[in-house]
Amino acid sequence: MLELTHDDLCNMSHGETAFSIDDYKKGVPRWCPGCGDNSVLNSVQKLCKDKQLVPEKTVFVSGIGCSSRFPHYMNTYGFHGLHGRAFPVAEGVKFRRPDLNVFVITGDGDCCSIGTAHWIHAIRYNMNMTVLLLDNSIYGLTKKQTSPTSATGTKSNTHPKGSVLPPINPIQTTLSVSNASFVAQTVDWKPAHVFETIKAAYEHPGFSFVRVIQRCPKFMGDLYETTIADQSALTLLTHENGIKLDEKAEKSFKNIIQHNPSDINKGREYAEMKDSIPIGLFYQNKNAPRYDEYGAHNIGMPVTERITAINKELDKYAV
Amino acid sequence: MLELTHDDLCNMSHGETAFSIDDYKKGVPRWCPGCGDNSVLNSVQKLCKDKQLVPEKTVFVSGIGCSSRFPHYMNTYGFHGLHGRAFPVAEGVKFRRPDLNVFVITGDGDCCSIGTAHWIHAIRYNMNMTVLLLDNSIYGLTKKQTSPTSATGTKSNTHPKGSVLPPINPIQTTLSVSNASFVAQTVDWKPAHVFETIKAAYEHPGFSFVRVIQRCPKFMGDLYETTIADQSALTLLTHENGIKLDEKAEKSFKNIIQHNPSDINKGREYAEMKDSIPIGLFYQNKNAPRYDEYGAHNIGMPVTERITAINKELDKYAV
Amino acid sequence: MITTQSFPIEKEIKNRSITVSQHVVEIVSDSGEGAQKAGQSFGSISAKMGNGVWTVEIIPAEIQPPARSRAGASGIRIRIGSEKVTNMGDHANLVVALNEQVLYGRIAQDAYTKDTVILLENKWALKNKEEYTTALADFNAKGFKVIEIPMEAECMKYVSDAKKGKNMWVLGMLCEIYNRDITKAEDQIREVFKKKSEKVFEDNVNLLHGGYNWAKENLDLNFEIPPPENAGDQIVMNGNEAMAMGVMAAGIEVCAMYPITPATSISHKLAECFENAGGIVHQAEDEIAAIGFAIGSSYAGKTALTVTSGPGLALKTEFIGLAVMAEVPLVIIDVQRGGPSTGLPTKVEQGDLLAALYGEAGDAPKIIIAPSTIEECFHFVIKARKLAEQFRSPVFILSDTNLATGVSPFPRPKINVESFASPIDQSTWDKNVSPFDWDPKTGISKRPIPGQKDGMYTLTGLAHDEDSKVAYEPEINQKSSEARSRKIAAVLQTLKPPVVNGDESGDLLLVGWGSTKGAIEEAVATARKSGVKVSSLHLHFLSPMEPGLEDIFKKFKKVKTVELNYSDTIGDPLITKKSRRYAQLAWLLRAHTLVDVDCYSNVFGQPINPSKVLDMIKEKLK
Amino acid sequence: MITTQSFPIEKEIKNRSITVSQHVVEIVSDSGEGAQKAGQSFGSISAKMGNGVWTVEIIPAEIQPPARSRAGASGIRIRIGSEKVTNMGDHANLVVALNEQVLYGRIAQDAYTKDTVILLENKWALKNKEEYTTALADFNAKGFKVIEIPMEAECMKYVSDAKKGKNMWVLGMLCEIYNRDITKAEDQIREVFKKKSEKVFEDNVNLLHGGYNWAKENLDLNFEIPPPENAGDQIVMNGNEAMAMGVMAAGIEVCAMYPITPATSISHKLAECFENAGGIVHQAEDEIAAIGFAIGSSYAGKTALTVTSGPGLALKTEFIGLAVMAEVPLVIIDVQRGGPSTGLPTKVEQGDLLAALYGEAGDAPKIIIAPSTIEECFHFVIKARKLAEQFRSPVFILSDTNLATGVSPFPRPKINVESFASPIDQSTWDKNVSPFDWDPKTGISKRPIPGQKDGMYTLTGLAHDEDSKVAYEPEINQKSSEARSRKIAAVLQTLKPPVVNGDESGDLLLVGWGSTKGAIEEAVATARKSGVKVSSLHLHFLSPMEPGLEDIFKKFKKVKTVELNYSDTIGDPLITKKSRRYAQLAWLLRAHTLVDVDCYSNVFGQPINPSKVLDMIKEKLK
Ligand SMILES: Cc1ncc(C[n+]2csc(CCOP(=O)(O)OP(=O)(O)O)c2C)c(N)n1
Ligand SMILES: Cc1ncc(C[n+]2csc(CCOP(=O)(O)OP(=O)(O)O)c2C)c(N)n1
Ligand code: SF4
Ligand code: SF4
Ligand SMILES: [Mg+2]
Ligand SMILES: [Mg+2]
């Protein structure tokens, strides 16, 4: 009987290897015009092409929300699951399938509200997957309710007079979880930065968490318009070990800070930045223990060996 | 028709006021001999007496676990609810009942595993309640399974060869949530410190989070024995705005650090301390916005006024 | 007679006003074109003129479907009548379409029939000539009466961007066709645009009149739908709004929720005005927290509400079990949508009955009621709060998308203090009374509320005795289980057998629950007029089941439920009488009465209409 | 005859060995005194000698109950027989009690009867004289035969701390009384203490022999329970261990769980040895994550398992709905405990049947099976994995506390490759085949597994078409719902009508499911011997319901289920035939067959014993 071992799975040949960007596209995205999700989709498709990811070896897992429609637009395997529950599903996919490239697409409600427990624990598991939190600071799909990342005072259908609580800071919270290994932030309207960030995330051996600050023209109107217009509204965190932009792209930033991503304390301080949105890599640790490695350690054990083990166990109960 | 306004509720007279410690006791605690939960119970009963909390105005809310049996041993109102769900219940209790003193008792599984989402969001709501996380680094009630705070390598019934992940750091994670307002740590075997910590927590106007490192002699045997024996295994964080011990109690500590609880960055650094357990107040902010104040803002509106408002609303739909 | 015409209209056949007892009108468009706003206004104006009205939204599958796509049909249906209108009716009589493609979506849903008049925006004749021409031919072949109308061109006479105001022009046109009071329409527009500038208001009023006048001059369509005698003070709203109003009138102070379609708009409405009526909406981090919060509030004396739909209901399961076990009063509104799983979020289904009844592990008896009209949406919330407190139990209200978004007028309820919750009891508790002093006959006990001296107890979801002490003794568990179950029998004592609509005996009895009532009764009335011996019965209590059903059923040759949920069809591959999985109420009634109750059901995600029921009646009695 | 004696025993009546066909033995104590270890060893030794055996743990309510308390009764019951033993039996024949107070707890549970022999630790005669004397008088008055024994004093001859070894002394005593093979006992002790030092082992062997010799010299009690003919290769374990072994033999690679009594020990067993058999236990952050993880694994080709009990099941509801909707193979083991809510965590109930069937909003058909013996616990896991994959569906296995903790020998299963999951298919997918290419007849479709070229699709919990594309069209939702439901009818096609135990017609048919089989069949056998026309039927499939039930039922005058869950009792206040809430299987069978199925049920949290069933049979046929 054929057994698929860890190596079998990971080294399986998949015919032709030159995939074009179109090979990763499926259908027509149904996001509103100007929706930041479109820009992220483009970057991800570009990444797939650059990395020549084998489409059938790639799985996009999402929850529910506008953003979570993402997998439907990728010509790969996809799992558009339950609201808030993308992480456990993605972990289950990866656990015994080290050969699959796993991406998680989640929204601010999906990840930071209903999915909070799984988010926190996913960070701790540190399984090798790329996570994109598409954060528009609002519930898009259900038509404008306050999200945990909505700025205080945001007017929504559940808080018509303005929300009353300070927003969660997904970067700070992610940094606080033991075993966090890659924590970055970008904004959808800087495609070069989005791309480099996603690329670095993909290359990171572990759980790479990227918060993409995303425009929702439909419900958050001009929230980011001022930000886009104002060059100083963004602060670029850069470093030779961080996310690098080419010179031209970097020039579009007025505020640039050198930040060594191995310095978590500094990372935490930058995460609190108030008047400007810090983007870049806050923290990276390539050596954090990975639960997916544990999950893969006994894959493909021959059935005969397994039967022997079971029989040995049964012997203990023999009468 | 009698309406109970905010003031009515809060100023209601409750007869005699001199409660003795016995007035807060109920039944015989059913924890194992030497269980750290006993020591916390004692401190809490002492606090109730010191503060002369009116028993019927006091509610202990818990989840499920050994620790969550706590409310049964208090002669107050109690809510021994569902595993992981103490926070939402406590929030619901407090929302429209500002007159009630609300305590939350939770365990490391209850709070940091199944209850993670509620824990994080409870911090953000910053409602005025005192939270005691009785952290024994194990699942006690269900007989020894790994908990998120179990040190890597802990042998349990679900990880007989030792757990594989680094433990969650509840202090660090709590500190990372926007609107955190009181974050402290103590150890059950230092009763004076437990008491002072709980007292400061109770006095804090907001969500006061206290992690009590708690011994489970039944399942974690000698985990803390060395710590108890070794004076330097603890580091006392102290400050005039922090948790103060009397001189004698303070003398029992070898490592003492002055830490100003308004300095969250330092607090975060101390939270990472590796070889010694830091105890004391990591952070406090008495001015963080409180969701319970929002919840109480329109309590006790007279029925006539409410009827008028409803009718005004109905007018809009009149044909 | 109305015939297919091409623009310009032949003027000579204008002004033959036809009197009809009811008409079904639709406005369909791409989403975002304001069709629903126009339709709702049209409905409101009609209601204000005293007509019976029912409106249902036509919702596309996607939040942002591509323009001019079949799946993108968005809009509204308005049924107006001389009498009370209780459902969306059958085929549309008149349709305003902002493009021809969306009509295909509605045709697929069997919304139109031969003779349906279609007023079609003709700008596509230029822009998308081929598609447009093909469609027109199709429509004519189907027998629709298509009238092409230069809507955009006409609008451009008043505004520079026709997209923004076409809906008001359409409203004006409809007002003329149906002889609606144009000043009422102006008032309505003022209400709609009250937060916008005066300029916006003026533009829209101009468009309104533009449409009105254009129709007067160019269209040979005019219908009179005389209103009934004065029906008294009426209000017009949808079921979710009625629920929100009911919440306030019930004196509930806390609505703890997590957003989910189609329940969320209850909380949107509340978020607008609840705080003026002594309450607050709490948007929790998830559905579990929402119900936990509500239970905490209830425990502390303020019986609270949580609102949700299918996926959210699933998450609340564990807490519902706790509320049953610890006897916490609680109101749960479940606005049912298509299932299972995420299913059809914007479509109607009555698929949660069994989940509400049996979702929890162990025995978790609870009260379940289902409103069948928008008016009942209001009153049932008050009823639920009272039942919850009286029987110290969670109470489910099962509504659905059809009620949630359907708009219809009903008598304005008098708001008075009786419907409000009493202030919480803070008197000293009688020490001799246990916190679960179960009445041996009814299972009912009175609950101590935090703040009550001498009432201290610790609520628990573990098995417990009268004193709320954890107890594992066999007899105690048996006894407390009996008490909880007995309460359902006690509720039953308060109910009267339901009244049959039609004769009390006959060939066929249809049994329904929830939003299908109007359609069923309309079909029964029609059938009975033609001599068919059919009656119907509509249940409002599902737990306990209303009394006397067996006796009622026995007087009919056949009994069949009409439900919007799934059942197998006998005759389909592998499906026999024995392998068949029945619709939910049918299944319950079979177990309850041992009568061979049949079912007519589907999961089309559409409200049922009278003609479908009528067809079925005829089929069943063949 | 055995009479009440006080120490020292009268030696002259020693050694009259009595042969019995079965005996029920209990060891009861405070918790932590090792009674369960001694009893399990006693059971194992007996099984090794070829006897039929059934053991059940006696679990106190609290993790740390006070010593010498009635509610603290902890221990074990061991039933040994000359034939296969299938249940815990009725009253105990012989009880070893480490203090007199815990006996009250068991008396309250009706565990003893006149003539039950009680071997009582007599050290309390000094320490707690008054209580002890009162109790002794009580016991004598009840007709128990109490023999006082100086257990502690005897143990002190071998060890300095008697608390640590008394259980082994008791084991020795029991071995003598029942003529157990003392070398087998030594082997057993070696297994139990294999991780401890040689000294510990020696101490315990000394205690064993001490007890043995003491009994030989001092007790006039000796029973012979001859084993049956060689029953072939046997193993002895509890139901949870059998499940864990079944998981490995099924070739499952992932068990994702969150701890919960009484399901957790399945994962404890797996955690010990799963990794040697190619699998891993994943302890998730909660039950939702656990099932989500399992579904992820299943989706990626490795059909996974999640194990839980009531409160955890509630949390899994939403994901179960997704698995049904998206047709993900999945095995869900629910070890039922007392409900509702947290209920009775350590006690038995069969209360989750309806929740498993109907927990999800919308229509969520799935397969549900229930093992009735420990042996079936093993085999049903394999069956479930196969059904899950074949029908692309979640499969529930409903076990309960009685099976989970009951220990009994059964034929050692042959482990072979057939029971293992096939390696995941990584071949190229046929592009022409949709990911949900529902067979029109059976609803079955084949699933693409990530890694399969050309099989790419996006799984969704939204309504979808064959291509897994989100679709809101009425016909598509109807069609896909039919496909999912049809699969249940397809499973039904593979089933044969169940076989009646006893005659195929008669006065009364008892119908059971799950762990009650042994007790029911034993009662039926006894009743039939005395001429009563009673038969029984045991169901293993609950969804689909096994075929032919109506025909079987019609041949009996009365049909009654025997279930460990709640039902109202007719005659109780307010409870009539019409208001009654039925036991869960009874309710289903009524709807399914329209036969007036009655039920006998309780929520005592105790396994049912044959005599209770027997009493009921007599009562029913009066
Ligand atoms: C259990 C459950 N609760 C609620 C919903 C309804 N729902 C769908 S998406 C969503 C929130 C979407 O917000 P976000 O995650 O920020 O995604 P976005 O649409 O903004 O991209 C909600 C509440 C659901 N589908 N399931
Ligand atoms: C929904 C649910 N899942 C699981 C359980 C089982 N359970 C009870 S307590 C507990 C964990 C206890 O650990 P912890 O919270 O650390 O409390 P401790 O007993 O250690 O004080 C678990 C898993 C439950 N009661 N409910
Ligand atoms: S609603 Fe917002 S997030 Fe959703 S598709 Fe539109 S712009 Fe994007
Ligand atoms: S098991 Fe541990 S935590 Fe639980 S009562 Fe015993 S010592 Fe305390
Ligand atoms: Mg969002
Ligand atoms: Mg713990």
Side-chain angles (χ1 to χ4, degrees), chain D residues 574-615:
Chain D
L574 304 185
I575 307 302
T576 63
K577 204 152 185 240
K578 290 186 179 171
S579 69
R580 183 185 197 190
R581 298 177 60 250
Y582 283 78
Q584 305 196 358
L585 178 61
W587 189 244
L588 292 176
L589 291 175
R590 291 170 69 84
H592 185 65
T593 64
L594 300 180
V595 169
D596 189 2
V597 176
D598 190 4
C599 54
Y600 171 78
S601 79
N602 67 55
V603 285
F604 290 152
Q606 304 292 330
I608 200 151
N609 49 22
S611 67
K612 290 279 154 56
V613 179
L614 199 58
D615 290 351

Side-chain angles (χ1 to χ4, degrees), chain B residues 64-67 83 108-110 136 138-142, chain C residues 318, chain D residues 259 287:
Chain B
I64 299 283
C66 291
S67 36
H83 189 39
D108 42 317
D110 203 56
N136 56 4
I138 198 77
Y139 284 15
L141 189 67
T142 45
Chain C
E318 193 191 6
Chain D
E287 282 90 349

Side-chain angles (χ1 to χ4, degrees), chain A residues 47 50-51 182 194-204:
Chain A
L47 173 81
D50 275 26
K51 296 289 176 187
F182 182 103
V194 172
F195 178 76
E196 291 303 331
T197 307
I198 294 177
K199 189 167 146 227
Y202 173 77
E203 288 167 354
H204 172 74

Side-chain angles (χ1 to χ4, degrees), chain D residues 122 245 264 278 281 296 349 363 372 395 518 560 566 605:
Chain D
N122 76 353
M245 299 309 302
T264 322
V281 172
E349 194 174 304
D363 188 48
S372 62
V395 176
K560 189 164 188 168
Y566 182 77

